[in-house]
Amino acid sequence: MSKYLLILNLSLLFWSMFTMFSSREDDLLKTYSFEALEKNNSRQFINFACLVAIACSIIEFPRLPFTSVSSAARFATLLPGTGWNHLALIAMLFLLPSLKHSKQVKWTYIFVIFWFLSHGERVDMIGFLILLLFLYLKNHKITISTLIKSIVVALIIFLVFSYIGERRGGADNITLGSLFEKLFKQNTASDVGYVFNISCDYIKKYPLTHGKLLIFYLEQIIPDLAIPSVQNCGDIFLGARYAYPGGAYILTEPLLDFGVLGVLIIPNVYLGLIYMFLKNKRQYKFYVYIFLGATVLRYVWYGMEYIETALVWFIPFFYYLYHKRVKVKFS
């Protein structure tokens, strides 16, 4: 496990230090500042995006806030499909430039964040708040005061999200001490580490899958070819041989497909694609890039399958409406 993590970290270090990755990122964020993008958000589009964000949140979690439900019932949606949370998130990302000056957008943000958290869904909102913190630090000079404020805000967010996780797990006697304990004992991080562990064990005992998981991803992109009973590579291979909590660490699929060569090659292919993607500073790429920032915990902890539908279908759809400034009439 340490060897594979070292390979991943060295890859990240290489792209950070020996390429123009950071400067391309800076150029993209400077070119599409919120001030510049806010002028393009028409009133009709803001109304439409706010409606989508609120409606999709309710469709994803069609229950009263703080309702105690079983793990299976927690994922029961009002309408078929598994991408309603990402539709809500993408609508919020397109509304982001208008957040500072629009009360309507502010109230939409408050509602969506509250609705997700009050239904025990943390990952999407943690990622979204990480993105907001990242963008704030990119646009402000980092002083000691800014750093201390950021740490305090991060700690408060951490305690709130830990509380939500404990309540979701059925805990009743939750104290401040037990929440601080979560600084060192993270249930989700333990699950991810365990899945990574059994992935390493799998390639020692069983044949590699030789690209089957990459083909599976391509099949999942096309709705008619999607396999509804299969969630990810873990259900196909790991779940059949191990006690399996779900999810797939970002190195799991490279390991199962190609072993150590997968760890060497596939993360660098991902990084290379993002690097090439940043080369052309188009507005569409800005929204894709901040979506990757907001969903970082999704694909690092659970696999790339969890974001591919949004990348292939949802963001182009929203960008088309945004670019065309479609006028939607409301009664």
Side-chain angles (χ1 to χ4, degrees), residues 269-286:
V269 169
Y270 288 153
L271 291 165
L273 288 173
I274 297 173
Y275 183 67
M276 295 301 295
F277 192 77
L278 289 172
K279 185 177 181 180
N280 193 327
K281 297 187 290 294
R282 292 185 179 179
Q283 190 174 341
Y284 173 75
K285 295 184 177 182
F286 169 80

Side-chain angles (χ1 to χ4, degrees), residues 117-132:
L117 297 183
S118 64
H119 288 84
E121 183 51 59
R122 301 179 299 165
V123 174
D124 291 316
M125 290 303 110
I126 292 175
F128 185 70
L129 293 173
I130 287 174
L131 172 71
L132 294 181

Side-chain angles (χ1 to χ4, degrees), residues 25 29 129-139 289:
E25 178 186 81
L29 296 177
L129 293 173
I130 287 174
L131 172 71
L132 294 181
L133 181 61
F134 166 75
L135 293 174
Y136 174 80
L137 294 175
K138 290 290 285 187
N139 293 312
Y289 194 65

Side-chain angles (χ1 to χ4, degrees), residues 158 166 178 180-190:
F158 172 83
E166 291 299 285
S178 67
F180 273 105
E181 228 179 281
K182 290 296 173 183
L183 282 169
F184 306 99
K185 297 196 306 185
Q186 280 291 311
N187 297 355
T188 302
S190 299

Side-chain angles (χ1 to χ4, degrees), residues 14-292:
F14 170 80
W15 286 97
S16 298
M17 295 185 64
F18 301 106
T19 70
M20 297 175 63
F21 210 115
S22 295
S23 61
R24 287 187 179 182
E25 178 186 81
D26 288 338
D27 288 344
L28 183 74
L29 296 177
K30 287 175 183 175
T31 302
Y32 297 107
S33 64
F34 290 161
E35 290 77 12
L37 290 175
E38 186 178 12
K39 299 174 184 177
N40 296 329
N41 271 3
S42 66
R43 173 52 53 189
Q44 292 84 2
F45 180 79
I46 289 175
N47 290 339
F48 171 77
C50 287
L51 179 65
V52 169
I54 293 171
C56 289
S57 300
I58 295 173
I59 292 171
E60 178 71 18
F61 306 108
R63 295 170 297 277
L64 292 174
F66 305 108
T67 303
S68 178
V69 295
S70 65
S71 179
R74 191 165 65 89
F75 298 103
T77 57
L78 190 63
L79 295 174
T82 57
W84 300 107
N85 58 326
H86 279 168
L87 269 173
L89 182 62
I90 290 167
M92 291 173 70
L93 293 177
F94 274 87
L95 290 168
L96 194 53
S98 303
L99 176 62
K100 187 175 181 180
H101 299 113
S102 172
K103 290 183 179 179
Q104 181 181 351
V105 174
K106 286 186 176 73
W107 281 111
T108 299
Y109 268 50
I110 290 171
F111 175 85
V112 173
I113 292 172
F114 166 78
W115 199 260
F116 271 65
L117 297 183
S118 64
H119 288 84
E121 183 51 59
R122 301 179 299 165
V123 174
D124 291 316
M125 290 303 110
I126 292 175
F128 185 70
L129 293 173
I130 287 174
L131 172 71
L132 294 181
L133 181 61
F134 166 75
L135 293 174
Y136 174 80
L137 294 175
K138 290 290 285 187
N139 293 312
H140 291 79
K141 185 177 180 181
I142 301 178
T143 62
I144 295 297
S145 175
T146 304
L147 191 60
I148 292 173
K149 288 178 183 177
S150 300
I151 292 172
V152 170
V153 169
L155 185 60
I156 292 171
I157 291 171
F158 172 83
L159 293 174
V160 171
F161 279 59
S162 294
Y163 175 82
I164 292 168
E166 291 299 285
R167 285 300 302 265
R168 191 178 73 188
D172 294 322
N173 187 22
I174 304 173
T175 64
L176 188 61
S178 67
L179 293 180
F180 273 105
E181 228 179 281
K182 290 296 173 183
L183 282 169
F184 306 99
K185 297 196 306 185
Q186 280 291 311
N187 297 355
T188 302
S190 299
D191 288 345
V192 175
Y194 169 76
V195 171
F196 183 32
N197 194 344
I198 61 176
S199 304
C200 296
D201 188 70
Y202 180 98
I203 66 170
K204 291 181 180 180
K205 297 178 179 178
Y206 305 100
L208 299 177
T209 53
H210 301 297
K212 288 182 181 178
L213 301 178
L214 290 177
I215 295 171
F216 168 73
Y217 275 157
L218 294 176
E219 291 176 343
Q220 293 296 103
I221 290 175
I222 304 172
D224 287 342
L225 292 180
I227 307 170
S229 62
V230 175
Q231 294 300 313
N232 53 46
C233 72
D235 293 321
I236 306 171
F237 299 102
L238 298 179
R241 296 174 173 88
Y242 301 90
Y244 177 62
Y249 180 56
I250 196 168
L251 293 182
T252 291
E253 287 142 347
L255 272 174
L256 267 58
D257 261 345
F258 307 110
V260 67
L261 283 177
V263 177
L264 281 166
I265 295 171
I266 293 180
N268 284 288
V269 169
Y270 288 153
L271 291 165
L273 288 173
I274 297 173
Y275 183 67
M276 295 301 295
F277 192 77
L278 289 172
K279 185 177 181 180
N280 193 327
K281 297 187 290 294
R282 292 185 179 179
Q283 190 174 341
Y284 173 75
K285 295 184 177 182
F286 169 80
Y287 286 106
V288 172
Y289 194 65
I290 62 173
F291 173 76
L292 290 175

